Amino acid sequence: MAQLVGRALSPLVVLAVAACGAGDSAPAGDSGRAAAGDVALADSAAVAAPTPASSAACAPDDVGLELPAGFCASLYAEGLGGPRHIAVRSNGDVFVARRSGPAGEGGVVALRDADGDGRAETREIFGPMGGTGVDVRGGYLYLDQGQSILRYRLADSALRPTGAPDTLVTGLPTGGHAAHSFALDGRGGLFVNVGSRTNSCQQKDRENRSPGADPCTELETRAGIWRFDAARTGQRFSPQQRFATGIRNGLAIEFAPDGQLWVAQHGRDQLTQNWGFGAEQGSENPAEELIRVTEGTDNGWPYCYYSNEHRRRVTAPEYGGDGRDAARCGAYAEPAAVFPGHWAPMSLLFYTGSQLPARYRDGVFIAFHGSWNRSPVQAGFNVVFQPMRGGRAAGAHEVFADGFAGGVVQSRGGSKNRPMGLAQARDGSILVTDDQGGRIYRISYTGGQ
């Protein structure tokens, strides 16, 4: 990755009415979500040919987001049900996987902003219900559909496929963390997140002081990344395709421009409720982790977790740990960056455009959904930017977009809106899905470089 430009963000401002002139477009292809030292505590869409600068303006109503000075936000689409991950085709069309629609219909919403005003006016709905992962590449749309990964042939400029999908993978595990987000490497590889069935591989899941299964046989078929062939139909899930392990739930998964695979993991729950840890210790731990994943990576779940308090992996209480001991944890991968506990990372975006200042091409955006296992106040519900250099954090993360929650959140369902998916639009702006409010926000830059 390029060297970080050392310039701090301007103070946050609450958005109201602001002019929103888009800058240069980003170069790339039809690639969907485009698509060392101390660890910093703290869905991406590449685009095709250059497009003309947009004259779109922010919506006249305040959408309620807090952003750095020079940025503005508007609604790209609303009334979408539960939009999850999001992909952008090289012509600018947007495809969104969703768990539900206003009338329970369709698993994919296809959107088009034909007049370039920054808001989609055309939509098509198709496909089966129930997925999170989606990508567009090489004339195909790929979709997570529960136990399967599907592939639709998508003609140029068409918003919906005309034929039935191919089934690439079947038999993906369900129950527990069941969303099968995925990433395509552009070289024929399909990398699928298979989250854990349990919280911490206890003999009795989520029960007070139940010890962990040792060894945790769940790791044979859960809590890792599985690799498949992106072009071959009829593949069946099995332990043999496991690429990496010990990743409790890597829902945020993406390839960086340099070809490295990255995952942001959801850490385990209930250190306080099940094991009597102090409320603050249980709220802030374990860290949410940003991980560079290579073949054979073992991130340590369920035996160890990363402690924000001690800045290292420590042994889980299910395996005899006391929140400090690290005797079992030396062999596991180290995170590139860590974040406060229970923020729930949902998607990653490695920015490749030129509308935003150059410093944003030297790091990664992460959408945090917020969780339930903090007390008494929930946290997250934001999009952060993590500066990176050489595969490691280059300083602390910065909250980039905030205000989704609409105030203090003291209950699991108390957030007004929850950021979920990230993508880079054709003009270089950023799209953020909100699966609580049924919206897609468009964040663009208007300030000086």
Side-chain angles (χ1 to χ4, degrees):
M1 295 185 181
Q3 186 174 1
L4 177 71
V5 177
R7 187 165 69 86
L9 283 177
S10 301
L12 291 174
V13 294
V14 179
L15 292 177
V17 181
C20 218
D24 296 335
S25 64
D30 194 5
S31 57
R33 287 191 308 274
D38 288 340
V39 176
L41 176 59
D43 273 359
S44 57
V47 296
T51 56
S54 169
S55 59
C58 290
D61 59 318
D62 180 1
V63 298
L65 298 187
E66 301 168 12
L67 298 167
F71 288 85
C72 65
S74 59
L75 284 179
Y76 180 80
E78 57 185 331
L80 299 177
R84 302 284 280 178
H85 282 181
I86 180 171
V88 179
R89 188 160 54 174
S90 59
N91 69 352
D93 291 339
V94 172
F95 296 85
V96 186
R98 63 181 183 173
R99 283 186 169 174
S100 63
E105 75 283 6
V108 177
V109 182
L111 301 162
R112 178 173 292 163
D113 172 20
D115 60 10
D117 67 351
R119 187 177 178 103
E121 65 277 346
T122 303
R123 69 178 65 183
E124 295 279 353
I125 300 171
F126 63 90
M129 190 64 63
T132 289
V134 66
D135 207 343
V136 182
R137 192 177 299 250
Y140 289 99
L141 183 140
Y142 297 79
L143 180 67
D144 150 34
Q145 206 281 307
Q147 290 182 288
S148 304
I149 304 294
L150 307 180
R151 182 186 66 177
Y152 289 88
R153 170 68 74 176
L154 198 63
D156 291 346
S157 78
L159 279 178
R160 62 185 302 148
T162 55
D166 297 324
T167 301
L168 300 181
V169 181
T170 59
L172 293 168
T174 58
H177 297 109
H180 297 119
S181 50
F182 59 84
L184 297 164
D185 65 2
R187 302 183 299 275
L190 167 65
F191 293 76
V192 180
N193 166 57
V194 181
S196 69
R197 175 66 179 83
T198 63
N199 174 41
S200 53
C201 206
Q202 289 173 284
Q203 295 175 15
K204 295 182 179 180
D205 187 33
R206 297 183 185 271
E207 294 212 2
N208 289 345
R209 300 189 181 276
S210 175
D214 199 359
C216 178
T217 57
E218 184 179 335
L219 290 168
E220 296 172 6
T221 58
R222 304 295 294 256
I225 306 300
W226 263 249
R227 178 173 56 191
F228 301 95
D229 187 328
R232 184 160 63 91
T233 61
Q235 298 169 91
R236 181 81 183 173
F237 173 86
S238 74
Q240 282 66 48
Q241 296 108 336
R242 190 176 65 182
F243 181 77
T245 191
I247 300 171
R248 181 174 177 269
N249 189 24
L251 195 58
I253 178 170
E254 190 57 275
F255 280 90
D258 65 359
Q260 294 290 324
L261 179 62
W262 291 85
V263 163
Q265 171 185 256
H266 288 218
R268 52 85 47 80
D269 301 322
Q270 296 176 296
L271 288 170
T272 298
Q273 292 89 339
N274 288 167
W275 295 96
F277 284 41
E280 182 177 357
Q281 190 178 16
S283 292
E284 294 299 331
N285 293 293
E288 309 288 37
E289 301 178 44
L290 179 65
I291 309 155
R292 183 167 58 179
V293 179
T294 59
E295 187 165 10
T297 291
D298 187 340
N299 204 56
W301 182 91
Y303 308 116
C304 297
Y305 64 86
Y306 194 94
S307 167
N308 275 326
E309 180 182 5
H310 297 290
R311 305 297 290 270
R312 66 174 186 267
R313 294 205 185 283
V314 297
T315 305
E318 291 82 359
Y319 298 91
D322 60 2
R324 299 182 300 274
D325 171 70
R328 190 165 179 165
C329 306
Y332 298 123
E334 287 295 312
V338 297
F339 306 89
H342 311 295
W343 275 22
M346 305 304 271
S347 57
L348 303 176
L349 170 61
F350 292 91
Y351 187 77
T352 60
S354 56
Q355 184 188 124
L356 274 59
R359 70 184 301 269
Y360 290 108
R361 293 193 291 274
D362 298 313
V364 60
F365 291 95
I366 308 173
F368 288 98
H369 201 239
S371 180
W372 60 274
N373 196 220
R374 292 177 67 100
S375 179
V377 177
Q378 303 302 312
F381 313 108
N382 56 30
V383 177
V384 309
F385 175 71
Q386 175 61 60
M388 302 289 289
R389 184 184 299 116
R392 304 291 298 181
H397 71 272
E398 308 158 7
V399 175
F400 174 75
D402 208 347
F404 293 93
V408 175
V409 179
Q410 292 184 301
S411 65
R412 183 173 183 174
S415 177
K416 182 179 179 182
N417 301 289
R418 303 181 83 170
M420 172 68 202
L422 294 171
Q424 183 180 304
R426 190 182 183 195
D427 67 354
S429 59
I430 294 176
L431 301 178
V432 184
T433 67
D434 164 14
D435 67 350
Q436 180 102 335
R439 295 173 158 190
I440 300 176
Y441 301 92
R442 175 179 178 266
I443 299 176
S444 55
Y445 183 70
T446 62
Q449 298 290 318

